[in-house]
Amino acid sequence: MLIKSLTRGEAGENQVTPEDVYLNRRRFLQGLGAGTALAATGSQAGLLDFLSPSAPQTPATGAAPRAPLRYQAGKLESGLILTPEEKATNHNNYYEFGTDKTDPARNSQGLKTEPWTLRVEGEVAKPGTVDIGELIGSAALEERIYRMRCVEAWSMVIPWVGLELGKFLKRFEPTSKARYVAFETLYDPEQMPGQRSSFVGGGIDYPYVEGLRMDEAMHPLTLLSLGIYGQTLPPQNGAPVRLVVPWKYGFKGIKSIVSIRLLEKMPPTSWNLLAPQEYGFYANVNPEVDHPRWSQASERFIGPGGLLDVKRQPTLAFNGYGEQVASLYAGMNLRKFF
Amino acid sequence: MSTTSQPAPPRQYRKPLVRVLQVAVHLGALLPLVWLFYAIPRGALGGDPVKELIHFLGLGALRLLLLTLLVSPLARGLGFGQLIRLRRPLGLWCFAWACLHFATWLSLDLAFAWGLIGDELVKRTYILLGFSAWLILAVLALTSFPALVRRLGRRWKTLHSLIYPALLLVCVHFWWSLKSGWIEPAIYLSLALGLLWFRRRLLPWPRKLPATSKP
């Protein structure tokens, strides 16, 4: 079902949510939520706030501005529930801005994302740089609603907006020698406190680097994301451009990318360098291979409910995208290449 | 801090001061929990507060444990013996925080999936360490009622020396539980080792605890 919605250009104009409706949907939903919450809890609303859906706000003062995007709307796979935007933008791993889940939203709002150039080089016939502002304006963007599984055993469902990485890379004409793709996050200690101090940055050797095999990078599910929830990315989610590989653990989705390099050899990756026994290069979501310190067989889904509304669900092989991607790993021992 | 100068407050103020400090201990341990009720819905612990909440409660329990163990060296150093009255409330609050920490993990993280919980307790050494520390704290909390303290007599002291291994277990549990970074757990471990160093002569099994004499 999901695959169908992805076959290029199939969704007609009538399927695209009108922008004003889309842009106002949150206000509508908030109003709806507030109404039901009020009706349900009545005068005790204040006390029972603890149990009701948390509605954290992006820091009001100095929150980085976001712009609405034009894109072809995606479909929500049946059975999936969207993670509320407030949760997806206030629960982030972005160690450049601190290791607590709330640190990135708090510390990243000043990140300067304009202008932003992304370099594509290495084993390509036409190396070059791309201005992300121009890319946002010119590329045919589409929405992809994906499950997101963090290696820490929690998950979300997030509507990404972006373009297929494969299509993007083809512009630069990869050579036959290109077998891997290496990505690099901005290195700017002045803007990123985690890069200034190992105490803030969790001991990672910055800049953060990630990598994919060429066939993984060219897979139609792999997304170069420029936005979430209909708008450009907020800094804590990796503005202005990040990677989304839905069948892999979230740490593969490198944020705020400045460089993409096509290579003959497998590139190093940050978490693997920090703890090779815990994080592999492939990092495919696999319920059968536990993290040394916790089980990967199930996950806590972060949905619209309150604190006590715990939804523990089984983790799916390849995060539920096995039908599309399992063949990439045919014959590989996924316990060894975790 | 020398014992000869004894910078304790004048005798007549000591009793009321201890009272005030006792109230401060209760408020200090209770108010952060009250704060959680208001802060969580307002997003202070992030979009998904479960992990942060577990961490907040665990770290709070560790801090209370360190404070509990600070009482007797402080009382001795200051020549202010009545300070010892702070030790029991601090220890019990530490246990309360540890219970909340454990209960949050059981309920909000693992959703009472008992099969998974059993597996995790056995398979993950750092969870086993934390669980062992919690069991020790439970025994100490249950044997801290004045009537039992009197009945146990000398054995009470021996039993309650278990707090030292518990402290080390908690520090290692904390260190091991982190995805990355070592500075913060190293600070807590050094504080713990410092507190044990004060007592190096009093420890009932100094030879069996090599970790305390290493640094």
Side-chain angles (χ1 to χ4, degrees):
Chain A
M1 203 165 146
L2 183 71
I3 326 169
K4 194 156 189 300
S5 76
L6 298 180
T7 44
R8 315 89 278 254
E10 220 182 57
E13 191 62 33
N14 58 335
Q15 280 171 271
V16 181
T17 313
E19 194 173 67
D20 56 331
V21 173
Y22 195 85
L23 293 178
N24 282 320
R25 81 210 181 282
R26 280 176 58 205
R27 205 169 309 147
F28 171 73
L29 287 174
Q30 273 166 2
L32 201 70
T36 30
L38 216 68
T41 54
S43 59
Q44 290 177 312
L47 200 66
L48 294 179
D49 271 357
F50 187 61
L51 311 179
S52 66
S54 21
Q57 302 295 319
T58 322
T61 46
R66 293 170 61 194
L69 294 170
R70 288 199 164 273
Y71 56 90
Q72 186 179 59
K75 262 192 214 156
L76 186 64
E77 198 180 329
S78 73
L80 291 191
I81 300 165
L82 271 196
T83 295
E85 182 172 358
E86 287 77 9
K87 292 193 185 184
T89 55
N90 284 283
H91 183 79
N92 308 96
N93 278 323
Y94 196 168
Y95 280 22
E96 281 84 341
F97 294 104
T99 54
D100 282 355
K101 298 285 181 284
T102 47
D103 285 343
R106 201 177 298 134
N107 301 334
S108 70
Q109 299 309 315
L111 180 69
K112 198 167 172 283
T113 56
E114 233 173 326
W116 191 283
T117 41
L118 171 56
R119 227 170 36 249
V120 182
E121 55 196 356
E123 294 298 340
V124 285
K126 292 182 177 167
T129 57
V130 177
D131 180 274
I132 293 301
E134 274 173 29
L135 185 69
I136 288 173
S138 64
L141 303 181
E142 53 180 314
E143 183 180 52
R144 297 281 180 90
I145 304 175
Y146 285 154
R147 284 178 286 269
M148 209 285 291
R149 170 62 155 79
C150 178
V151 74
E152 297 164 358
W154 51 265
S155 68
M156 295 184 177
V157 172
I158 299 178
W160 304 101
V161 179
L163 62 159
E164 283 179 20
L165 177 67
K167 285 184 187 169
F168 175 76
L169 290 180
K170 276 183 192 153
R171 300 181 183 189
F172 304 89
E173 300 180 11
T175 69
S176 58
K177 279 190 185 166
R179 293 184 55 222
Y180 291 94
V181 186
F183 304 84
E184 195 175 305
T185 295
L186 175 71
Y187 182 74
D188 186 352
E190 263 179 41
Q191 293 200 76
M192 296 176 151
Q195 294 179 338
R196 287 202 296 272
S197 138
S198 169
F199 186 67
V200 179
I204 290 176
D205 191 11
Y206 292 107
Y208 194 89
V209 288
E210 256 307 334
L212 292 174
R213 223 167 53 186
M214 196 63 189
D215 55 347
E216 299 174 325
M218 301 309 284
H219 194 281
L221 285 178
T222 305
L223 199 69
L224 194 63
S225 171
L226 300 160
I228 47 171
Y229 298 88
Q231 297 190 64
T232 51
L233 289 163
Q236 65 268 32
N237 294 77
V241 57
R242 65 167 291 167
L243 182 67
V244 178
V245 194
W247 71 92
K248 292 177 180 284
Y249 291 120
F251 68 85
K252 294 295 288 183
I254 183 169
K255 300 184 171 90
S256 308
I257 307 170
V258 291
S259 151
I260 298 181
R261 185 178 266 276
L262 280 70
L263 302 169
E264 230 182 318
K265 291 203 178 112
M266 185 186 274
T269 58
S270 286
W271 278 102
N272 179 250
L273 290 173
L274 189 72
Q277 71 289 356
E278 300 193 350
Y279 310 99
F281 173 83
Y282 287 94
N284 291 322
V285 175
N286 190 341
E288 282 169 20
V289 177
D290 282 354
H291 186 278
R293 286 179 289 128
W294 57 83
S295 162
Q296 296 290 29
S298 62
E299 65 204 31
R300 204 166 44 76
F301 174 64
I302 298 175
L307 181 62
L308 300 187
D309 186 11
V310 186
K311 203 175 156 220
R312 187 112 203 153
Q313 62 193 23
T315 291
L316 306 169
F318 297 107
N319 205 21
Y321 301 99
E323 219 176 287
Q324 294 98 311
V325 301
S327 59
L328 299 180
Y329 310 100
M332 272 175 69
N333 178 355
L334 294 178
R335 282 188 181 277
K336 191 173 165 216
F337 300 103
F338 57 86
Chain B
M1 267 274 240
S2 102
T3 39
T4 45
S5 65
Q6 299 210 343
R11 218 157 272 283
Q12 68 271 29
Y13 295 132
R14 292 188 190 179
K15 215 170 177 180
L17 183 60
V18 167
R19 276 275 151 74
V20 169
L21 287 173
Q22 275 176 332
V23 172
V25 164
H26 287 299
L27 287 179
L30 181 66
L31 287 180
L33 298 177
V34 175
W35 173 81
L36 283 177
F37 269 84
Y38 291 92
I40 286 175
R42 281 155 193 79
L45 294 189
D48 176 69
V50 175
K51 280 270 153 65
E52 300 287 307
L53 183 58
I54 292 173
H55 192 70
F56 179 87
L57 293 167
L59 204 53
L62 172 54
R63 287 172 184 164
L64 284 162
L65 187 55
L66 291 170
L67 282 176
T68 310
L69 284 165
L70 184 63
V71 172
S72 64
L74 208 58
R76 207 174 308 119
L78 295 172
F80 187 3
Q82 290 177 67
L83 274 183
I84 214 75
R85 285 157 165 247
L86 300 177
R87 198 170 58 178
R88 195 160 67 108
L90 277 169
L92 287 172
W93 273 114
C94 164
F95 178 59
W97 278 65
C99 286
L100 289 171
H101 168 68
F102 187 36
T104 307
W105 178 72
L106 290 177
S107 60
L108 302 186
D109 195 2
L110 297 192
F112 294 119
W114 293 109
L116 178 62
I117 289 165
D119 275 359
E120 292 289 272
L121 274 178
V122 179
K123 274 199 227 161
R124 321 289 165 195
T125 317
Y126 86 97
I127 292 178
L128 190 61
L129 296 184
F131 182 59
S132 315
W134 179 79
L135 284 178
I136 291 177
L137 290 179
V139 171
L140 303 192
L142 291 174
T143 53
S144 68
F145 295 102
L148 263 177
V149 176
R150 256 176 274 124
R151 263 186 65 185
L152 283 167
R154 207 170 250 288
R155 281 171 301 161
W156 184 87
K157 213 166 179 175
T158 314
L159 180 66
H160 278 243
S161 304
L162 282 174
I163 196 158
Y164 306 123
L167 176 65
L168 292 177
L169 287 171
V170 170
C171 287
V172 178
H173 165 76
F174 175 43
W175 196 319
W176 207 332
S177 74
L178 294 180
K179 214 166 126 188
S180 70
W182 55 272
I183 299 171
E184 199 186 2
I187 290 171
Y188 282 97
L189 183 60
S190 355
L191 289 175
L193 292 174
L195 287 170
L196 292 177
W197 185 248
F198 276 133
R199 306 167 152 83
R200 60 193 180 280
R201 265 160 244 229
L202 307 170
L203 288 179
W205 44 58
R207 261 158 285 131
K208 281 189 198 163
L209 269 181
T212 62
S213 50
K214 233 188 234 165

